[in-house]
Amino acid sequence: SHLQILKNAYHAGINEFIVFEDDVEFSGGFDLYIETQLTAVPDDWNFIYLGWADFKGFEEAMKTSINEWVCKPLNPFGLFGYAVRGREFMAELIKFFEARINNIQRQYDEYLGDEYWPNTHYKMYALIPPLVHYASMGTNIQNFKKSSSK
């Protein structure tokens, strides 16, 4: 669904949009902080995690704080709430996702954290504190083939 949203926005000529998954919860104070946090994001952004976690740990990610409201996570994951900006960025992200679609072994957010962000010039930031969370840990849709271990 994330790839389809990107494609639809790109083909519709949209330059900027926000995505929320259907099973998220908004943090208390979302409506009070969202404008403050978004205006604290550097102007060069292409992707903003509105909700996120970090495989290296939240405290490690905080070492990359840009200001009191924004950081640049080390190895972010979670596509439950995010903003996208830039036509060239969208086109590159579509190609990145499409290159993995036939042999996908993990969720797209893991590929972003492991492979995409360390190797692109496009700018990613995350809000502090995250304002969107999963209603429960994990995802309500899993389409991956399970391999049996012997």
Side-chain angles (χ1 to χ4, degrees):
S1 61
H2 294 280
L3 176 57
Q4 194 58 53
I5 290 168
L6 275 168
K7 286 180 171 183
N8 289 348
Y10 183 81
H11 294 300
I14 295 171
N15 186 54
E16 194 171 299
F17 61 93
I18 294 178
V19 175
F20 294 106
E21 288 194 351
D22 65 341
D23 58 348
V24 298
E25 290 181 349
F26 296 92
S27 298
F30 177 90
D31 55 338
L32 299 173
Y33 294 111
I34 189 67
E35 185 175 352
T36 300
Q37 286 184 294
L38 289 178
T39 56
V41 175
D43 289 336
D44 65 350
W45 72 271
N46 297 103
F47 192 95
I48 305 170
Y49 286 94
L50 305 176
W52 60 284
D54 198 295
F55 283 116
K56 295 188 181 205
F58 193 74
E59 297 211 3
E60 279 298 306
M62 292 303 93
K63 294 177 183 175
T64 64
S65 295
I66 292 166
N67 56 49
E68 68 178 308
W69 299 108
V70 180
C71 74
K72 190 167 176 50
L74 302 169
N75 195 319
F77 68 94
L79 291 177
F80 35 96
Y82 58 93
V84 173
R85 179 173 73 182
R87 308 267 306 133
E88 294 84 11
F89 169 66
M90 284 185 229
E92 183 178 294
L93 201 54
I94 289 167
K95 287 180 187 174
F96 177 81
F97 284 156
E98 284 181 333
R100 284 147 187 81
I101 199 163
N102 290 327
N103 191 26
I104 193 162
Q105 300 295 314
R106 304 179 291 158
Q107 296 175 178
Y108 278 140
D109 56 341
E110 293 181 44
Y111 287 111
L112 285 173
D114 291 344
E115 298 174 24
Y116 187 77
W117 297 124
N119 298 303
T120 186
H121 68 279
Y122 290 105
K123 303 296 182 174
M124 167 273 296
Y125 300 100
L127 300 184
I128 307 168
L131 291 179
V132 182
H133 306 277
Y134 276 128
S136 61
M137 211 40 207
T139 176
N140 62 354
I141 298 174
Q142 291 287 353
N143 258 346
F144 305 125
K145 295 177 184 174
K146 304 283 185 193
S147 63
S148 60
S149 57
K150 296 185 181 193

